[in-house]
């Protein structure tokens, strides 16, 4: 199918056309930011692409666009350690990066020939780069991409659960609250009341105006409880988020001028992503700043006009309690 391999996103033709409907993780702003400020170590980048409007009769897509990275010793979510430990001993070539929680193959439309072409190219590239394994992580289990990979003989390995919620029926935060069971609705309403009584202010900011140093301090403190503080690498993370431009928003909650919670959200054409959050529980003994931040994110997501809210991985009990629907995520990893 004439798949080309480029080492920089700036040189990949037809990329923007192919990823119009894809998650924000596939957009040029995210990929360029990751090139310039890698959130986790990457040995090499590659971008598999075809120009849009390929004239050959067997292919009538918008152009394939698949980012891959060669990594070694990087496993912040313990996916490889828990499920494919052999993949940790040598470099591994993966689509995409670990900060992406929804892997797809833009431009293939899950066409079997196009998916086979991507998979074959990935295997050849893994051989050239001396990778021990190659494959796909965080693929929604019931997606067309998963179905196509399984038709090609790849075996799914359950690795994670993502969560999200359709926003189309909702017009305001009260509409969302009305969908909840009595206890979670009362709890969130109580948090909002106490936050108001405590004088908490909320501001939605573009990255260049946000206190990203404050975010990283809060987020690392929270992540350290799970041994994962370097998911937010100081300096690099701030640079990365600023480079996202209009693809990102930062929602800050303050009490008496002090940052008590900060959420980074990402936006694409159809989705609003609650991507990451940091909170200071000690600053608000009467209520949870995380719940207050969640309510602020929900309100902004509804107001954004996007049709879906994505909440990514982990913390499943909270997400189910507050109406999020689970999506099983699987990996397809093969030895080279």
């Amino acid at each position: 199918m004439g798949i080309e391999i480029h080492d920089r996103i700036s040189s990949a033709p037809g990329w923007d056309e192919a990823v119009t409907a894809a998650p924000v993780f596939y957009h040029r702003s995210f990929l360029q930011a990751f090139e310039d400020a890698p959130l986790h170590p990457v040995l090499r980048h590659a971008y598999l692409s075809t120009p849009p409007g390929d004239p050959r009769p067997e292919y009538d897509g918008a152009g394939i666009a698949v980012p891959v990275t060669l990594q070694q010793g990087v496993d912040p979510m313990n996916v490889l350690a828990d499920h494919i430990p052999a993949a940790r001993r040598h470099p591994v070539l993966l689509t995409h990066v670990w900060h992406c929680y929804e892997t797809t193959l833009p431009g293939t439309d899950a066409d079997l020939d196009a998916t086979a072409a991507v998979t074959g190219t990935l295997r050849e590239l893994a051989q050239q780069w001396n990778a021990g394994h190659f494959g796909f992580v965080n693929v929604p289990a019931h997606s067309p991409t998963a179905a196509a990979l399984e038709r090609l003989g790849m075996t799914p390995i359950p690795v994670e659960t993502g969560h999200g919620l359709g926003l189309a029926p909702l017009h305001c935060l009260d509409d969302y609250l009305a969908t909840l069971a009595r206890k979670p609705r009362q709890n969130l309403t109580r948090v909002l009341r106490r936050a108001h009584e405590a004088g908490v202010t909320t501001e939605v900011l573009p990255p260049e105006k946000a206190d990203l140093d404050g975010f990283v301090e809060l987020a690392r403190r929270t992540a350290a409880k799970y041994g994962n503080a370097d998911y937010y690498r100081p300096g690099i993370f701030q640079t990365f988020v600023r480079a996202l431009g209009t693809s990102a928003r930062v929602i800050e909650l303050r009490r008496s001028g002090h940052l008590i919670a900060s959420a980074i959200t990402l936006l694409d054409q159809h989705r609003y992503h609650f991507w990451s959050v940091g909170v200071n529980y000690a600053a608000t003994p009467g209520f949870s700043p995380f719940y207050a931040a969640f309510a602020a994110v929900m309100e902004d997501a509804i107001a954004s006009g996007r049709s879906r809210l994505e909440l990514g991985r982990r913390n499943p009990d909270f997400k189910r309690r507050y109406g999020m629907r689970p999506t099983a995520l699987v990996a397809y990893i093969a030895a080279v």
Side-chain angles (χ1 to χ4, degrees):
M1 285 193 167
I3 293 178
E4 301 172 349
I5 300 172
H6 304 269
D7 61 0
R8 295 184 180 276
I9 185 59
S10 58
S11 63
W15 194 274
D16 295 335
E17 296 88 343
V19 302
T20 298
V24 64
F25 309 108
Y26 289 81
H27 291 200
R28 186 179 299 272
S29 59
F30 187 96
L31 296 168
Q32 187 65 66
F34 210 102
E35 269 189 36
D36 297 338
L39 296 181
H40 63 65
V42 170
L43 300 176
R44 298 182 72 168
H45 294 268
Y47 304 91
L48 281 52
S49 71
T50 57
D54 192 310
R56 284 168 290 186
E58 70 271 18
Y59 180 67
D60 189 27
I64 289 169
V66 179
V68 300
T69 52
L70 183 69
Q71 310 168 21
Q72 185 167 10
V74 181
D75 190 17
M77 311 300 285
N78 288 324
V79 170
L80 300 181
D82 292 344
H83 303 282
I84 316 126
R88 290 170 55 90
R89 292 195 285 268
H90 303 282
V92 57
L93 187 65
L94 299 176
T95 70
H96 190 311
V97 295
W98 291 109
H99 288 70
C100 165
Y101 48 70
E102 183 182 351
T103 291
T104 183
L105 299 178
T108 67
D109 295 324
D111 174 82
L112 195 61
D113 289 339
T115 304
V118 169
T119 304
T121 303
L122 193 60
R123 182 189 293 273
E124 292 173 5
L125 187 61
Q127 291 173 332
Q128 292 174 23
W129 286 358
N130 297 315
H133 290 75
F134 75 96
F136 312 78
V137 294
N138 297 321
V139 180
H142 303 294
S143 66
T145 296
L149 289 171
E150 288 169 33
R151 288 179 64 194
L152 292 172
M154 299 196 78
T155 301
I157 303 169
V159 295
E160 267 291 353
T161 301
H163 290 83
L165 179 69
L167 298 176
L170 308 177
H171 301 286
C172 62
L173 185 61
D174 285 342
D175 288 348
Y176 166 67
L177 291 171
T179 68
L180 300 177
R182 180 174 59 86
K183 285 188 177 180
R185 181 176 66 251
Q186 289 177 341
N187 183 55
L188 196 54
T189 302
R190 181 171 57 253
V191 167
L192 291 173
R193 183 180 68 251
R194 291 181 177 175
H196 176 74
E197 293 169 350
V200 172
T201 61
T202 302
E203 193 170 10
V204 181
L205 298 165
E208 65 271 16
K209 294 186 177 180
D211 180 7
L212 294 177
D213 291 343
F215 168 86
V216 168
E217 181 181 351
L218 293 180
R220 284 180 62 84
R221 188 184 307 168
T222 303
K225 298 176 183 178
Y226 307 99
N228 198 21
D230 280 344
Y231 198 78
Y232 307 97
R233 300 168 72 194
I236 291 176
F237 193 90
Q238 294 94 312
T239 300
F240 174 86
V241 174
R242 291 189 189 102
L244 294 175
T246 57
S247 296
R249 292 179 183 172
V250 184
I251 300 179
E252 295 183 347
L253 278 66
R254 294 181 180 272
R255 183 185 187 190
S256 300
H258 298 289
L259 190 68
I260 63 169
S262 181
I264 296 179
T265 67
L266 305 178
L267 297 87
D268 55 50
Q269 183 178 10
H270 302 293
R271 307 166 192 82
Y272 186 106
H273 302 259
F274 186 2
W275 188 50
S276 54
V277 64
V279 298
N280 181 1
Y281 289 101
T284 57
F287 63 92
S288 167
F290 171 78
Y291 281 72
F294 168 71
V297 167
M298 178 62 72
E299 190 166 28
D300 191 53
I302 295 169
S304 77
R306 267 69 180 180
S307 60
R308 183 168 173 83
L309 172 67
E310 298 286 356
L311 275 83
R313 302 155 290 193
R314 304 294 165 94
N315 202 4
D317 292 341
F318 166 82
K319 292 171 182 176
R320 286 195 296 266
R321 190 161 59 247
Y322 282 87
M324 306 301 141
R325 303 293 187 264
T327 299
L329 301 176
V330 297
Y332 299 88
I333 305 290
V336 175

